[in-house]
Structure formats: C-alpha cells, structure tokens
Amino acid sequence: MGNIQIATAFNIDLEFELAPFHKRLFAYLIDFTILIFYAISMKYVLHTNFPDFMEDNAAADILLISLPMLFYSLLTELWMNGQTIGKRITGIRVISLDGDEPTFGQFLLRWITKFFEWPFLFSYILYSPGKFVMAVTTTALLGIAVVIIVSVTNRNQRLGDLAAGTVLVNTKSAMSISDTVFMDISNENYKVLFPEVMRLSDGDINTIKTVLMQARKRNNHDMCFRVEAKVKEVLNISSDMYAPDFLEKLLEDYNYLATRE
C-alpha cells in the first residue's frame, strides 16, 4: 500500500494513502452487484406488468434500465463527494491531483472512459438469461485490462484517472469526521478576527483543513508554520497566535462568514 505526495497552492506537499487494490476491487464488486440487482429487478417488474409494451419497445429498456445504470457512477461520485456506494462502504474516494475535490469535468472524463462496462449496460436489452450471463462475463474480461493498467501506473490510476488528473485514495485513518476542523459556528456572539479569509478559494480552505488534520495525526506542526506564513502574505494580515490555532481560527471565521452570506 503506497502513498502519494500532492503539491498544493501553498507549496506544501500533502501525503495521501493510495486506495489499496483489494478495496478498489471490493468497491467495484459492490457497485456491480447493485447494478445487476437493479437490472434484474427492473426487467422482472417491467416485463411482468407490461409484457407487450416492453417486447415492442427496446427504447423503454434503454430509458428505464440502461440509462440509470450508465449514469450511476457519474452521478453518485458527483453527489457523494467522489464516492459511489461501493467506495463509501470500503472507505475510498476520488480526489484531484491538486488535493482538491475533482471538478465536474474531471468526473465526466473518468466516467466517459468506463467503456469496459458497456457490454453489461446494453447487451442485455434483447433479454435472455444466456445473453445476460455473456454480457456480465464480457464486462469482467474487459475489466482485466483495467486491472493491468492500474497495476503498472505509478499512482495506481486507470485510464480515466490518467485523463482526468484524479486518483483514488484511502479515507480511513486514525482520525474520524469529528476530528475535522470544519464546524457549525452557531454562536451569535461569535467574533470574526480575520474577515480577509473570504478572499481564499474553497481549494485553499480545503488545503488548510488537510494540513491541520495531517499535522495532528503526525503530531508535527511544521507544515502549519509554512502555511501560516503563506496565508499571512497573501491576505496581508498579522497575528501572534500559534500557527495551528491561527489556521483553526481562519477556518472558524470562514465557516461563520460562509454560512451567513
């Protein structure tokens, strides 16, 4: 299981743990099982209740079964912050190589290159058990090429990741979601010290959050001092606060101001 160093806008290299192969495989099998269950269930319901209509209208199969399956990975990764249901269960997610959340264009590129799933998604329209099994088998065989590509690339990327500039990382760590520095600032008497923080981008804020999380995990705050200096330079502000406390205050101010815009 390897790690990847990702350079951020603050000239800080953040370290992420690459998603191990067994988790990627298990996540894919979960998603594939969900799609198989959906296909069989919808086929049964539609052809049982509307047999004549479904037999004469292959387009209905495409619209009601194939298209939802086709867009499954794209939509779930967009809606679930880089995760499908399988990825969420196994604790892995897609991130951009700049350490930020991927853009819509990056998710789209990853999705377009999943051509190896097409036999499964469309070949069963002319339904028979034999053809369905053949479609699943063909998809599995094409998936072997994906496994080979993942195994030989430095960052364990498939073609879609190489094209989109993304990578799969492990989200499981010693820290839980309650350890993150984002919080709901509901105190009406809260005092904002650094309103200039709103000049930072969402990517900058995510970088600060990740730097703090990694500093706490390793009990090493050197990165915090480097980010502190860069932020002060960019925002033209000064503070005598200890670097980690300064960065946490920036995040608190950002959360408070962002929820009141």
Side-chain angles (χ1 to χ4, degrees):
M1 184 164 24
N3 294 332
I4 180 175
Q5 298 283 338
I6 293 180
T8 70
F10 295 113
N11 296 320
I12 298 291
D13 288 338
L14 298 179
E15 186 175 279
F16 294 88
E17 182 182 300
L18 291 171
F21 177 76
H22 71 277
K23 283 193 174 185
R24 298 178 66 141
L25 179 61
F26 190 39
Y28 180 76
L29 290 176
I30 291 173
D31 291 327
F32 198 54
T33 300
I34 290 172
L35 294 180
I36 290 176
F37 179 78
Y38 176 82
I40 294 175
S41 299
M42 289 295 289
K43 273 286 187 182
Y44 176 79
V45 170
L46 293 173
H47 284 264
T48 299
N49 293 284
F50 311 101
D52 295 335
F53 176 77
M54 295 303 296
E55 287 295 331
D56 297 333
N57 292 274
D61 264 308
I62 296 175
L63 181 64
L64 299 175
I65 303 177
S66 291
L67 287 183
M69 293 168 63
L70 177 65
F71 288 103
Y72 166 80
S73 62
L74 174 63
L75 295 179
T76 51
E77 286 184 355
L78 282 170
W79 294 338
M80 298 169 62
N81 193 29
Q83 294 178 305
T84 60
I85 294 174
K87 289 184 179 72
R88 176 157 293 185
I89 291 174
T90 57
I92 61 178
R93 67 180 287 252
V94 181
I95 65 169
S96 176
L97 284 177
D98 61 7
D100 204 355
E101 181 180 346
T103 64
F104 172 75
Q106 288 176 299
F107 282 127
L108 187 64
L109 274 175
R110 293 187 81 257
W111 171 74
I112 288 174
T113 57
K114 298 186 77 171
F115 55 85
F116 63 94
E117 291 185 344
W118 291 3
F120 167 62
L121 295 175
F122 292 102
S123 295
Y124 72 92
I125 289 175
L126 299 175
Y127 182 73
S128 74
K131 289 182 179 179
F132 184 76
V133 172
M134 181 62 69
V136 173
T137 303
T138 302
T139 300
L141 291 174
L142 289 173
I144 294 175
V146 178
V147 172
I148 294 173
I149 293 172
V150 168
S151 64
V152 299
T153 55
N154 291 334
R155 295 165 175 166
N156 297 343
Q157 296 166 287
R158 63 176 182 82
L159 286 177
D161 289 315
L162 291 170
T166 56
V167 67
L168 271 172
V169 298
N170 199 7
T171 61
K172 300 293 186 182
S173 69
M175 302 183 68
S176 67
I177 191 64
S178 61
D179 296 315
T180 65
V181 291
F182 280 113
M183 59 193 71
D184 178 23
I185 309 299
S186 56
N187 184 1
E188 293 299 328
N189 297 320
Y190 178 81
K191 302 295 184 182
V192 175
L193 293 185
F194 307 110
E196 298 89 348
V197 70
M198 300 308 292
R199 287 160 45 195
L200 297 178
S201 68
D202 290 341
D204 295 334
I205 295 298
N206 283 330
T207 297
I208 293 173
K209 180 193 76 170
T210 306
V211 165
L212 275 170
M213 290 177 65
Q214 293 200 0
R216 287 172 171 173
K217 182 179 178 181
R218 301 173 184 174
N219 196 26
N220 184 341
H221 296 106
D222 290 345
M223 290 189 299
C224 293
F225 290 102
R226 293 167 60 189
V227 172
E228 175 199 33
K230 185 66 174 180
V231 169
K232 287 180 177 179
E233 177 186 345
V234 170
L235 299 182
N236 193 25
I237 58 178
S238 61
S239 170
D240 295 328
M241 298 175 69
Y242 182 54
D245 296 334
F246 169 74
L247 296 180
E248 285 196 38
K249 182 60 178 176
L250 281 178
L251 291 169
E252 292 174 357
D253 286 353
Y254 181 86
N255 277 269
Y256 180 84
L257 294 171
T259 57
R260 282 154 179 78
E261 285 188 344

